[in-house]
Amino acid sequence: MTAPKPFNPARPFVVYVGPFAFPEGGAAARRILGNAQSLVASGYQVLVLSGQQAPDDEVHSLGDGIFLASTSERNAEHLPNLLRLTRYVTMGAKSRDWLDRLEARPAAVILYSGYTPYILQLRGWCRRAGVPLIFDAVEWYTAASPLGFAASPYLWQTEIAMRWLIPRLDGVIAISRWLEDHYTRAGLPVVRVPPTLDVKATPVGQGGDGDRLTLVYAGTPGRKDLLGVLLQAVATVDPNGERLRLDIYGPGPDDLKAYGLDDIPLSVTAHGSVAQATAMAGVARADFSVLLRRPDKVATAGFPTKFVESLAVGTPVIATLTSDLADHLVDGENGLICGDASPETVARVLERALAMTTKQKSALRKAARHTAETGFDYRRHTDGLRRLVEAVTCAKDARTKRTGI
């Protein structure tokens, strides 16, 4: 096996920076990995500058042109709220100082999350260094109520960043059409990149065993995923646990009590928090994964990573249409669409799934995998990311020559 090549600052490189953990950091880390793979395929090295705590801040090769250094920005989680908030205000300073010690300047800095504190720390450095600053926009947080927003400093600073600070940066990578349109109207160069992964290297699952219809939910529901609606629909369609099986990865049995059911359906098994690989193995073994969301601002601005990952292993998705899912999910071809997120509608769709033959489910699996290959493999988005980096770099160079800053 060839030893990984060391980071070479003399070669073109991009820095991906933010308070995220990497390479084990949930959907955020998988988003960054997919984009990093696209950038490497377009000719750049990618240095991931993570805010996670680490024993050193050295550059470590992860192979295939991707490198990792950690700044330990996130070192205040154990502190009291007021002190933690004070530390949060200055987040990004260690990353800025780390960038300043680089032997050469990157082609671009891409910020994931971090929002106002990171932007305030990085914007000045990027301007002085002549390096474009791009924001990777993947969501737009909102509170459940105006009172909830008023009580959350985190939401204040996020709103400030999304509305006023990001439009003053050099470019945006948008995960959805909604975010693409928003920042295009603001006059920024934008490329739309959904969640991506190495589909070619992702094994295809075999689906259910044919005994009962196998459903799976994997993730952390929060306010986005309507897991309670799914549980109600399952209880209606299969009260005795004879026709289907629902495996849940993430929430445990005690977590399901919050959904107000007198009894958890017999067909439901809540596995609790598990490793990502374990959850994906469960998705690969299922006939369908299920993703139910309301069409609110959070769901519209984002794009569900679990949708992409399910298609990649060949598991069709039962879903409501939020974000850009209508561009990819075709009812009866690579999944099933719920017209709304009511338990009654979901129950009717589950009955459709139960009536499907083995041949029909096999055809859906093949189409699901094909959708992943054609729309969500990182190789499909290499040219778009390359053009964005080149465009903002040229614009920054021209502005520097014109203004001297």
Side-chain angles (χ1 to χ4, degrees):
M1 181 179 294
T2 304
K5 294 181 179 180
F7 177 66
N8 181 1
R11 289 182 52 221
F13 69 99
V14 170
V15 176
Y16 231 114
V17 60
F20 51 80
F22 192 87
E24 300 298 329
R30 300 196 294 279
R31 162 70 170 182
I32 293 161
L33 176 61
N35 285 355
Q37 290 172 318
S38 295
L39 288 163
V40 169
S42 67
Y44 294 99
Q45 301 173 100
V46 177
L47 173 59
V48 179
L49 194 55
S50 164
Q52 66 195 355
Q53 293 194 62
D56 62 61
D57 62 356
E58 299 299 316
V59 177
H60 302 274
S61 175
L62 301 182
D64 299 324
I66 300 174
F67 303 85
L68 171 66
S70 303
T71 63
S72 297
E73 294 268 13
R74 301 187 64 168
N75 60 1
E77 275 80 358
H78 63 288
L79 298 175
N81 287 343
L82 183 58
L83 189 54
R84 186 167 69 244
L85 180 60
T86 303
R87 290 277 190 91
Y88 183 77
V89 170
T90 62
M91 281 189 74
K94 291 182 179 180
S95 299
R96 179 203 62 211
D97 293 343
W98 203 101
L99 289 170
D100 208 36
R101 297 196 301 270
L102 279 169
E103 298 176 25
R105 295 304 185 226
V109 171
I110 302 174
L111 174 60
Y112 180 98
S113 188
Y115 300 103
T116 296
Y118 264 81
I119 291 174
L120 295 179
Q121 293 292 341
L122 297 178
R123 187 174 55 179
W125 182 89
C126 286
R127 187 180 296 118
R128 292 190 300 273
V131 175
L133 180 56
I134 299 168
F135 191 81
D136 187 2
V138 300
E139 59 209 348
W140 195 310
Y141 290 120
T142 59
S145 66
L147 182 61
F149 180 85
S152 174
Y154 180 79
L155 290 179
W156 306 345
Q157 65 84 25
T158 301
E159 195 75 10
I160 289 169
M162 299 297 281
R163 289 191 181 278
W164 292 288
L165 297 182
I166 294 171
R168 290 168 172 77
L169 302 184
D170 298 292
V172 164
I173 303 168
I175 202 170
S176 66
R177 180 179 286 106
W178 191 91
L179 286 169
E180 178 188 28
D181 291 345
H182 177 81
Y183 288 112
T184 298
R185 289 193 300 270
L188 288 178
V190 183
V191 62
R192 174 158 44 107
V193 181
T196 59
L197 69 163
D198 190 347
V199 177
K200 287 184 178 180
T202 303
V204 180
Q206 297 302 312
D209 57 16
D211 180 26
R212 291 182 291 171
L213 182 74
T214 306
L215 309 175
V216 65
Y217 170 85
T220 304
R223 287 176 43 225
K224 295 185 295 184
D225 294 348
L226 304 177
L227 183 55
V229 171
L230 176 58
L231 292 172
Q232 291 177 58
V234 167
T236 299
V237 170
D238 189 25
N240 299 318
E242 297 170 345
R243 306 171 66 199
L244 61 81
R245 181 173 68 250
L246 170 60
D247 286 303
I248 298 175
Y249 297 92
D254 290 341
D255 299 315
L256 300 188
K257 297 176 182 178
Y259 294 103
L261 296 176
D262 293 333
D263 296 297
I264 302 302
L266 297 174
S267 51
V268 174
T269 301
H271 299 270
S273 181
V274 298
Q276 169 68 8
T278 301
M280 286 310 303
V283 174
R285 288 193 299 269
D287 292 308
F288 292 92
S289 65
V290 185
L291 178 63
L292 306 174
R293 291 182 173 180
R294 298 183 184 90
D296 57 16
K297 185 176 182 180
V298 175
T300 301
F303 194 113
T305 302
K306 63 189 71 176
F307 175 80
V308 175
E309 293 173 335
S310 183
L311 296 184
V313 297
T315 299
V317 183
I318 295 174
T320 50
L321 293 181
T322 57
S323 184
D324 300 333
L325 295 193
D327 295 342
H328 307 282
L329 183 60
V330 181
D331 189 70
E333 182 175 312
N334 57 6
L336 298 174
I337 294 173
C338 298
D340 59 64
S342 68
E344 295 77 17
T345 296
V346 177
R348 286 196 292 271
V349 174
L350 293 184
E351 290 287 3
R352 285 182 60 196
L354 284 161
M356 284 187 164
T357 65
T358 300
K359 184 177 180 180
Q360 288 173 321
K361 287 185 286 188
S362 178
L364 260 65
R365 295 190 68 80
K366 291 179 180 177
R369 172 69 176 202
H370 179 71
T371 302
E373 292 170 342
T374 56
F376 301 111
D377 187 275
Y378 77 83
R379 298 166 186 85
R380 297 282 177 171
H381 300 277
T382 293
D383 289 344
L385 283 168
R386 175 182 51 78
R387 287 195 298 267
L388 176 67
V389 173
E390 290 177 351
V392 298
T393 301
C394 290
K396 176 68 78 173
D397 291 344
R399 188 161 57 247
T400 299
K401 290 178 181 177
R402 186 175 66 252
T403 64
I405 58 173

